[in-house]
Amino acid sequence: VTIQTRPKTEFVISHSAAPAPPQRYGETQHVLGWIHSRVYLLSAMGFERQAIVSRIDPFTGHFQYVRHAPSIQAALQEMPDFIKTREFPMILGLRVHGSHSYLLVANSLKQTCTLPPGHRVYTVSETEWVPVQTEGTLSKLEKEDLDAMLKYSLDDLHICCETYDLTLPWPNNADPYQQSDSIEFAFNHSLRQPFLRDRDLRQLCPALVQGMAQQRPLNGDGSANMIYLVRKSILNPGPRFLARGLNHNFGPANEYECELLLWRIEGTPELATHHWSSLVWRR
């Protein structure tokens, strides 16, 4: 990465510092359904050219890769017995409770900012736990854990990005679908593991960050912008009465990382120069 220093605090940075936006950027779509009592998932990622077909493993409750397909429509033509049950734009995790599996999905997303040079950041507006395997019985403790999970509210409190690692300050070129050494701000870290362990399925589930993302233009033509990001640490969460000081993870109670990013664009979209400045602090 080459950074050329300008007077004061102004910098010119190449796009290699942060991953370039994908050349193809459509809408992500997931279709859930059945074939002879077996749950199948068809996924078309907006930044990939092929769709992915996967199905539930009845022994582990996790999804397992089946094959790639040119598109969801092409996959459906080859699966005439497929019975569609629902569609949703994003997967946020999978949890197995005993013999039951629940898929955390986002039914509604709202794009609240765009990180340079073109990474869309969404606020999750509506979520739902979708049962994908409910055979067998649960113990009393498993039922209590399941009820607590289903009642926990996620709506309008979390952000995600399919093409950029929001758990790290901007700019970074980390792969958002690789196992990270730092999990401090990945709210769905454990929920992503069933997908991250499979090389063919890891891009189905982006990192979910508890916090907010807002963007404001600083001039009329939109060439100068300000973004404010907030991430909440998962190392020591909880109400003030229970979460105080440092815990066994050496995490301060209810710590937030805040990031203020200012940038100005010069040149054409094909060859743009970003003059930027950022401030990161914790509270």
Side-chain angles (χ1 to χ4, degrees):
V1 176
T2 302
I3 300 178
Q4 177 184 351
T5 304
R6 291 283 182 90
K8 305 288 185 180
T9 59
E10 189 178 74
F11 302 95
V12 177
I13 185 166
S14 66
H15 284 179
S16 60
Q23 295 181 356
R24 181 180 183 274
Y25 213 147
E27 297 297 330
T28 295
Q29 179 187 15
H30 300 278
V31 178
L32 194 67
W34 298 78
I35 297 181
H36 304 308
S37 72
R38 190 81 175 267
V39 177
Y40 279 76
L41 177 68
L42 312 181
S43 304
M45 312 307 295
F47 51 91
E48 293 289 344
R49 297 187 179 276
Q50 289 186 308
I52 299 174
V53 180
S54 58
R55 64 186 178 189
I56 279 286
D57 184 341
F59 298 101
T60 64
H62 295 169
F63 282 95
Q64 58 181 190
Y65 170 80
V66 177
R67 60 185 174 86
H68 276 81
S71 65
I72 288 182
Q73 290 71 23
L76 289 174
Q77 291 178 359
E78 298 176 0
M79 305 163 67
D81 297 329
F82 183 85
I83 301 175
K84 182 173 67 175
T85 58
R86 61 184 305 123
E87 296 183 15
F88 40 87
M90 191 170 291
I91 294 174
L92 300 175
L94 178 73
R95 174 68 76 185
V96 177
H97 280 275
S99 58
H100 293 201
S101 295
Y102 284 80
L103 188 67
L104 177 60
V105 305
N107 289 325
S108 178
L109 300 169
K110 178 172 63 176
Q111 184 178 344
T112 49
C113 78
T114 302
L115 285 170
H119 301 282
R120 301 175 185 175
V121 180
Y122 299 95
T123 296
V124 181
S125 302
E126 180 185 341
T127 60
E128 181 183 359
W129 286 98
V130 179
V132 292
Q133 182 170 286
T134 56
E135 298 178 359
T137 58
L138 298 177
S139 66
K140 181 179 178 180
L141 181 59
E142 288 172 338
K143 289 180 180 179
E144 293 176 354
D145 291 342
L146 179 60
D147 291 339
M149 181 188 75
L150 297 178
K151 293 178 181 178
Y152 188 84
S153 176
L154 298 171
D155 300 352
D156 296 315
L157 300 173
H158 298 76
I159 57 177
C160 59
C161 180
E162 293 181 297
T163 59
Y164 183 80
D165 188 356
L166 285 179
T167 64
L168 299 173
W170 191 92
N172 72 79
N173 59 357
D175 185 346
Y177 296 101
Q178 286 283 11
Q179 292 280 7
S180 176
D181 293 335
S182 174
I183 63 170
E184 183 176 5
F185 300 107
F187 180 83
N188 63 340
H189 172 72
S190 61
L191 301 177
R192 299 179 71 200
Q193 296 309 305
F195 297 99
L196 293 183
R197 294 191 189 104
D198 192 320
R199 182 184 61 182
D200 296 298
L201 301 181
R202 63 190 186 98
Q203 290 183 319
L204 300 187
C205 185
L208 187 67
V209 176
Q210 189 172 19
M212 60 167 286
Q214 293 293 331
Q215 179 174 348
R216 294 289 184 271
L218 299 179
N219 57 3
D221 60 4
S223 61
N225 290 269
M226 175 182 69
I227 287 181
Y228 183 54
L229 295 170
V230 178
R231 312 174 184 89
K232 184 178 181 181
S233 172
I234 66 171
L235 296 182
N236 191 4
R240 183 182 177 188
F241 182 76
L242 298 177
R244 295 183 179 184
L246 298 178
N247 64 356
H248 63 282
N249 292 321
F250 305 103
N254 292 303
E255 186 174 35
Y256 289 82
E257 182 176 88
C258 306
E259 181 176 5
L260 183 64
L261 174 62
L262 306 174
W263 84 92
R264 175 168 52 86
I265 304 175
E266 290 182 356
T268 63
E270 294 77 15
L271 188 60
T273 301
H274 288 67
H275 303 266
W276 64 275
S277 178
S278 68
L279 176 65
V280 180
W281 71 97
R282 294 198 177 200
R283 62 181 178 86

